[in-house]
Amino acid sequence: MNSTVLNIKNVKKSFKGNEVLKDVNITLKQGSVYALLGANGAGKSTLLKIVTGLLNSDGGKVTIQDIDVANNPVLAQKLFSFSSQNTTVDGVLTGYENLYLIAKLRHERNSRKVTESLLEKFDLTEAKDKAVSNYSGGMRRRLDLAMSLVGNPEIIFLDEPTTGLDPNSRQELWNMIKEMKSQGKTIFLTTQYLEEADYLADQIGFLREGKIVASGTPDEMKRIAGADKLLLVFNRNQDAEKALKLLESYSPIKNADFEISIDLDKEIQTTLNVLNALTTEKINLKTFKMTTPTLDDVFMTLSKG
């Protein structure tokens, strides 16, 4: 059951003549995680506001489960939850009261049961009677995420969910998002963290200057930065020079003294051939390793474009 939950088609938006979004197209399948990557000012938050009906676009169309968000905002808003960069929890109320209030507003039949269940799921039962103003940043984010699950929404929108969290809290939240996905939830998140997109997303879109400049799976994205490489490090510069000549057919590149790299099209076979050739010619290696491009490399590649 891999039906389309969200369809963003040719969305445009300008502010005072400045084009913030230019023909953005994104499709999101049920039960998957989509990460929209981009630097500050790329237009991520503007797109999320349009997708959730908080802002009108200047063109294009957004549908959630085939419901046009601009024409039927109330109907569409019943299908999703939206967690913004700033947590929407009330600091005066307790964790329990925050969740119970949302359950009531969402017309849950058994609000108490839903509240207790979500507190347990997000490891907040012990702190349920404390005012949220006393919660840590990570706890507030967990509560915010719990609130977003009230009403069993079709899709959850998360705007930079882990900004400002320490590494442990960030990992905890990532695990919870993964858990939500494993239970069939569809998640659309914006982030500046490349590692976050790599860890969580099935599909990634790079938004730059209002356009999606690249999209695909994390592995497909990494191919933009080039092939896997075999890195060879030698003890002596003259060994590196000999290896350059010997391995000429593999188009080696000298990165630094003692160090050359080779693009790996056929990873294992090329590696074995190269190592055999060096052994036969008695060219001693200090070390070697195979490296795969990261999303950081992709980001750098796309930023130059």
Side-chain angles (χ1 to χ4, degrees):
M1 167 166 108
N2 217 16
S3 59
T4 298
V5 175
L6 173 69
N7 195 10
I8 300 170
K9 196 169 174 66
N10 300 328
V11 166
K12 305 172 186 173
K13 185 67 183 176
S14 296
F15 294 107
K16 297 178 181 176
N18 177 35
E19 273 190 303
V20 177
L21 297 172
K22 308 167 189 175
D23 283 324
V24 173
N25 291 278
I26 296 169
T27 303
L28 183 54
K29 299 288 186 187
Q30 185 169 14
S32 63
V33 178
Y34 184 95
L36 185 65
L37 271 170
N40 269 336
K44 301 190 303 294
S45 292
T46 300
L47 181 62
L48 260 193
K49 284 174 184 171
I50 290 169
V51 170
T52 54
L54 298 174
L55 187 66
N56 290 325
S57 70
D58 297 333
K61 186 177 180 181
V62 177
T63 55
I64 297 174
Q65 293 283 51
D66 296 326
I67 294 168
D68 189 315
V69 173
N71 293 340
N72 302 287
V74 175
L75 196 56
Q77 283 164 5
K78 289 179 180 176
L79 298 175
F80 69 79
S81 68
F82 176 34
S83 178
S84 65
Q85 285 181 39
N86 302 311
T87 53
T88 49
V89 294
D90 187 318
V92 175
L93 300 178
T94 65
Y96 183 94
E97 289 165 342
N98 267 282
L99 263 171
Y100 185 73
L101 178 63
I102 295 297
K104 279 291 187 187
L105 290 171
R106 283 271 190 176
H107 306 294
E108 285 286 335
R109 284 184 182 171
N110 193 337
S111 297
R112 289 189 186 283
K113 188 176 178 183
V114 167
T115 300
E116 294 286 358
S117 170
L118 285 168
L119 285 166
E120 186 175 348
K121 181 174 183 174
F122 285 86
D123 197 22
L124 291 166
T125 303
E126 280 186 27
K128 69 174 187 172
D129 297 322
K130 288 182 184 174
V132 170
S133 58
N134 296 319
Y135 280 20
S136 67
M139 289 168 73
R140 289 170 80 98
R141 267 292 175 205
R142 293 210 306 276
L143 179 60
D144 202 41
L145 211 54
M147 288 160 68
S148 73
L149 282 179
V150 174
N152 198 26
E154 289 289 334
I155 183 168
I156 298 160
F157 294 102
L158 305 173
D159 194 8
E160 304 207 0
T162 61
T163 296
L165 295 186
D166 64 77
N168 283 343
S169 299
R170 184 176 297 157
Q171 186 65 53
E172 275 181 15
L173 211 69
W174 287 354
N175 292 343
M176 283 169 179
I177 292 170
K178 280 240 181 194
E179 174 70 15
M180 286 157 63
K181 184 207 163 186
S182 74
Q183 292 171 358
K185 289 296 170 196
T186 308
I187 298 160
F188 183 111
L189 64 92
T190 68
T191 183
Q192 293 182 62
Y193 299 122
L194 297 156
E195 187 187 359
E196 183 159 283
D198 199 5
Y199 187 76
L200 294 174
D202 300 295
Q203 292 283 321
I204 293 172
F206 275 88
L207 189 67
R208 193 185 77 219
E209 295 170 4
K211 288 182 181 176
I212 301 284
V213 293
S215 61
T217 65
D219 282 346
E220 287 167 346
M221 289 290 93
K222 288 169 193 173
R223 294 289 159 258
I224 291 170
D228 290 355
K229 293 186 189 303
L230 175 63
L231 193 66
L232 304 168
V233 182
F234 300 88
N235 290 302
R236 302 180 306 164
N237 201 37
Q238 66 192 80
D239 288 336
E241 292 296 336
K242 276 187 198 170
L244 273 174
K245 290 194 179 84
L246 175 68
L247 303 170
E248 198 173 351
S249 61
Y250 297 101
S251 305
I253 293 167
K254 190 164 186 189
N255 302 327
D257 283 347
F258 315 123
E259 187 178 297
I260 66 175
S261 64
I262 292 167
D263 282 358
L264 291 175
D265 296 324
K266 296 174 181 170
E267 196 166 290
I268 298 302
Q269 197 55 53
T270 302
T271 302
L272 290 173
N273 291 347
V274 165
L275 295 178
N276 281 335
L278 291 172
T279 304
T280 302
E281 292 300 315
K282 296 186 169 54
I283 300 173
N284 292 325
L285 264 177
K286 182 179 181 183
T287 185
F288 74 94
K289 65 178 176 180
M290 288 179 281
T291 62
T292 300
T294 66
L295 285 181
D296 293 89
D297 300 322
V298 179
F299 199 77
M300 292 300 291
T301 303
L302 293 174
S303 297
K304 290 173 194 165

